[in-house]
Amino acid sequence: MGTQPQSPKHLEDWLRDAHAMEKQAEKMLETQADRLEHYPQLKARIEQHITETRGQVEKIEQCLSLLGTDTSVMKDMGGKLAAFGQGMSGMMASDEVVKGNMASYAFEHFEISSYRALIQAANKVGKPEIARICEEILKEEEAMADWLLQNLDDTTRQFLERSEDDDLRAKT
Protein backbone atom coordinates (compact mmCIF):
# COMPACT_ATOMS: atom_id res chain seq x y z
CA MET A 1 0.00 0.00 0.00
CA GLY A 2 2.19 2.88 -1.26
CA THR A 3 1.28 6.48 -0.84
CA GLN A 4 0.23 8.15 -4.07
CA PRO A 5 1.39 11.73 -4.62
CA GLN A 6 -1.40 14.21 -4.01
CA SER A 7 -2.75 16.36 -6.80
CA PRO A 8 -0.64 19.47 -7.38
CA LYS A 9 -3.80 21.63 -7.58
CA HIS A 10 -3.08 23.51 -4.34
CA LEU A 11 0.57 23.87 -5.27
CA GLU A 12 -0.36 25.33 -8.64
CA ASP A 13 -2.93 27.71 -7.12
CA TRP A 14 -0.49 28.85 -4.44
CA LEU A 15 2.28 29.39 -7.00
CA ARG A 16 -0.12 31.59 -8.97
CA ASP A 17 -0.87 33.49 -5.77
CA ALA A 18 2.87 33.86 -5.12
CA HIS A 19 3.31 35.18 -8.65
CA ALA A 20 0.68 37.85 -8.01
CA MET A 21 2.20 38.58 -4.61
CA GLU A 22 5.66 39.16 -6.10
CA LYS A 23 4.29 41.35 -8.90
CA GLN A 24 2.50 43.46 -6.27
CA ALA A 25 5.65 43.56 -4.13
CA GLU A 26 7.65 44.83 -7.10
CA LYS A 27 5.22 47.72 -7.61
CA MET A 28 5.17 48.60 -3.92
CA LEU A 29 8.96 48.49 -3.65
CA GLU A 30 9.42 50.64 -6.74
CA THR A 31 7.04 53.26 -5.37
CA GLN A 32 8.81 53.21 -2.02
CA ALA A 33 12.31 53.43 -3.54
CA ASP A 34 11.33 56.50 -5.55
CA ARG A 35 10.61 58.40 -2.33
CA LEU A 36 13.72 57.62 -0.31
CA GLU A 37 16.24 60.21 -1.45
CA HIS A 38 17.06 61.11 2.18
CA TYR A 39 17.59 57.48 3.21
CA PRO A 40 20.34 56.13 0.93
CA GLN A 41 20.93 52.88 2.85
CA LEU A 42 17.25 51.98 2.85
CA LYS A 43 16.89 52.99 -0.80
CA ALA A 44 19.86 50.81 -1.80
CA ARG A 45 18.52 47.78 0.08
CA ILE A 46 15.05 48.20 -1.40
CA GLU A 47 16.51 48.52 -4.90
CA GLN A 48 18.48 45.32 -4.27
CA HIS A 49 15.26 43.61 -3.19
CA ILE A 50 13.48 44.86 -6.33
CA THR A 51 16.09 42.97 -8.34
CA GLU A 52 15.61 39.91 -6.12
CA THR A 53 11.83 40.20 -6.52
CA ARG A 54 12.09 40.26 -10.31
CA GLY A 55 14.21 37.12 -10.09
CA GLN A 56 11.62 35.56 -7.81
CA VAL A 57 8.90 36.20 -10.40
CA GLU A 58 11.02 34.32 -12.95
CA LYS A 59 11.63 31.47 -10.49
CA ILE A 60 7.91 31.12 -9.80
CA GLU A 61 7.22 31.08 -13.54
CA GLN A 62 9.83 28.32 -13.80
CA CYS A 63 8.00 26.37 -11.06
CA LEU A 64 4.70 26.77 -12.87
CA SER A 65 6.33 25.55 -16.07
CA LEU A 66 7.58 22.47 -14.19
CA LEU A 67 3.92 21.75 -13.42
CA GLY A 68 3.00 22.23 -17.08
CA THR A 69 1.09 25.45 -16.39
CA ASP A 70 0.95 28.03 -19.14
CA THR A 71 2.20 31.17 -17.41
CA SER A 72 0.87 33.43 -20.16
CA VAL A 73 -2.72 32.76 -19.11
CA MET A 74 -2.19 32.63 -15.36
CA LYS A 75 -4.99 33.83 -13.17
CA ASP A 76 -3.40 35.81 -10.39
CA MET A 77 -5.03 36.81 -7.15
CA GLY A 78 -3.99 40.31 -8.05
CA GLY A 79 -7.23 41.90 -6.84
CA LYS A 80 -6.79 40.70 -3.27
CA LEU A 81 -3.15 41.64 -3.12
CA ALA A 82 -3.72 44.95 -4.86
CA ALA A 83 -6.19 45.83 -2.11
CA PHE A 84 -3.63 44.79 0.51
CA GLY A 85 -0.95 46.85 -1.23
CA GLN A 86 -3.20 49.87 -1.61
CA GLY A 87 -3.99 49.71 2.08
CA MET A 88 -0.31 49.74 2.87
CA SER A 89 0.52 52.46 0.36
CA GLY A 90 -2.39 54.49 1.71
CA MET A 91 -0.40 54.79 4.92
CA MET A 92 2.10 56.98 3.10
CA ALA A 93 2.13 60.49 4.48
CA SER A 94 4.72 62.82 5.93
CA ASP A 95 5.99 59.89 7.99
CA GLU A 96 5.89 57.54 5.03
CA VAL A 97 9.42 56.23 5.46
CA VAL A 98 8.61 54.83 8.90
CA LYS A 99 5.19 53.51 7.92
CA GLY A 100 6.59 52.15 4.66
CA ASN A 101 9.28 50.30 6.58
CA MET A 102 6.65 48.81 8.91
CA ALA A 103 4.42 47.84 5.98
CA SER A 104 7.33 46.28 4.11
CA TYR A 105 8.27 44.26 7.18
CA ALA A 106 4.70 42.98 7.48
CA PHE A 107 4.54 42.16 3.77
CA GLU A 108 7.86 40.27 3.95
CA HIS A 109 6.35 38.05 6.64
CA PHE A 110 3.29 37.46 4.47
CA GLU A 111 5.70 36.32 1.73
CA ILE A 112 7.69 34.18 4.17
CA SER A 113 4.59 32.33 5.30
CA SER A 114 3.51 31.84 1.67
CA TYR A 115 6.84 30.25 0.73
CA ARG A 116 6.79 28.00 3.79
CA ALA A 117 3.38 26.69 2.68
CA LEU A 118 4.63 26.26 -0.90
CA ILE A 119 7.63 24.23 0.27
CA GLN A 120 5.35 21.87 2.19
CA ALA A 121 2.95 21.56 -0.75
CA ALA A 122 5.78 20.87 -3.20
CA ASN A 123 7.26 18.20 -0.94
CA LYS A 124 3.82 16.62 -0.42
CA VAL A 125 3.27 16.14 -4.16
CA GLY A 126 6.81 14.95 -4.88
CA LYS A 127 8.16 18.11 -6.52
CA PRO A 128 11.56 18.57 -4.83
CA GLU A 129 12.82 21.00 -7.50
CA ILE A 130 9.91 23.35 -6.79
CA ALA A 131 10.54 23.02 -3.04
CA ARG A 132 14.23 23.86 -3.61
CA ILE A 133 13.37 26.97 -5.67
CA CYS A 134 10.88 28.12 -3.03
CA GLU A 135 13.53 27.60 -0.34
CA GLU A 136 15.87 29.91 -2.29
CA ILE A 137 13.18 32.58 -2.45
CA LEU A 138 12.34 32.06 1.24
CA LYS A 139 15.95 32.82 2.21
CA GLU A 140 15.82 36.12 0.28
CA GLU A 141 12.54 37.10 1.94
CA GLU A 142 13.85 36.22 5.39
CA ALA A 143 17.02 38.23 4.74
CA MET A 144 14.98 41.27 3.70
CA ALA A 145 12.69 40.99 6.74
CA ASP A 146 15.74 40.70 9.01
CA TRP A 147 17.37 43.73 7.38
CA LEU A 148 14.22 45.82 7.74
CA LEU A 149 13.92 44.90 11.43
CA GLN A 150 17.60 45.58 12.12
CA ASN A 151 17.34 48.99 10.46
CA LEU A 152 13.92 50.12 11.69
CA ASP A 153 15.34 51.90 14.75
CA ASP A 154 17.91 53.82 12.69
CA THR A 155 15.37 54.71 10.01
CA THR A 156 12.94 55.93 12.65
CA ARG A 157 15.66 58.01 14.38
CA GLN A 158 16.72 59.53 11.05
CA PHE A 159 13.11 60.40 10.28
CA LEU A 160 12.56 61.98 13.71
CA GLU A 161 15.76 64.04 13.40
CA ARG A 162 14.74 65.26 9.95
CA SER A 163 11.27 66.04 11.26
CA GLU A 164 12.69 68.06 14.18
CA ASP A 165 14.94 69.97 11.78
CA ASP A 166 11.95 70.73 9.56
CA ASP A 167 9.98 71.93 12.60
CA LEU A 168 12.82 74.21 13.68
CA ARG A 169 13.12 75.68 10.16
CA ALA A 170 9.38 76.29 10.06
CA LYS A 171 9.54 78.27 13.33
CA THR A 172 12.30 80.60 12.12
Side-chain angles (χ1 to χ4, degrees):
M1 225 199 267
T3 306
Q4 293 290 357
Q6 302 292 313
S7 162
K9 179 188 175 343
H10 292 300
L11 177 60
E12 185 177 325
D13 288 346
W14 293 350
L15 283 167
R16 287 179 179 166
D17 292 347
H19 188 268
M21 175 180 67
E22 294 300 350
K23 295 299 272 182
Q24 183 65 30
E26 182 180 357
K27 290 176 192 165
M28 288 178 359
L29 290 167
E30 287 170 347
T31 300
Q32 192 176 12
D34 287 344
R35 297 176 171 168
L36 294 174
E37 67 275 358
H38 300 295
Y39 303 88
Q41 250 189 310
L42 180 58
K43 182 179 177 86
R45 184 60 178 98
I46 287 177
E47 287 174 342
Q48 176 188 341
H49 198 56
I50 291 168
T51 301
E52 290 171 346
T53 300
R54 289 178 181 143
Q56 292 166 359
V57 168
E58 291 174 8
K59 288 176 182 179
I60 293 166
E61 289 171 355
Q62 177 187 357
C63 289
L64 286 161
S65 292
L66 288 170
L67 292 177
T69 301
D70 180 4
T71 58
S72 66
V73 294
M74 280 193 307
K75 126 189 134 27
D76 283 341
M77 66 177 255
K80 292 177 190 171
L81 283 169
F84 182 75
Q86 286 170 353
M88 291 198 326
S89 66
M91 294 190 326
M92 301 305 175
S94 63
D95 57 351
E96 71 180 292
V97 69
V98 175
K99 288 181 179 175
N101 198 319
M102 293 175 352
S104 294
Y105 182 73
F107 195 80
E108 289 302 323
H109 282 278
F110 180 76
E111 291 176 306
I112 288 166
S113 62
S114 296
Y115 287 109
R116 288 183 180 276
L118 279 165
I119 291 163
Q120 293 305 311
N123 284 329
K124 178 74 174 164
V125 298
K127 300 289 183 183
E129 180 65 9
I130 292 174
R132 184 194 61 74
I133 291 169
C134 289
E135 286 168 0
E136 288 175 12
I137 296 171
L138 174 64
K139 287 178 185 161
E140 292 174 345
E141 300 299 2
E142 289 173 333
M144 184 63 183
D146 288 346
W147 191 94
L148 288 166
L149 181 60
Q150 290 170 11
N151 288 273
L152 179 60
D153 290 350
D154 287 340
T155 300
T156 303
R157 271 194 293 278
Q158 287 175 19
F159 166 77
L160 292 170
E161 288 167 6
R162 288 185 54 75
S163 181
E164 287 173 359
D165 291 346
D166 290 347
D167 290 346
L168 287 174
R169 279 194 290 271
K171 291 178 182 178
T172 58

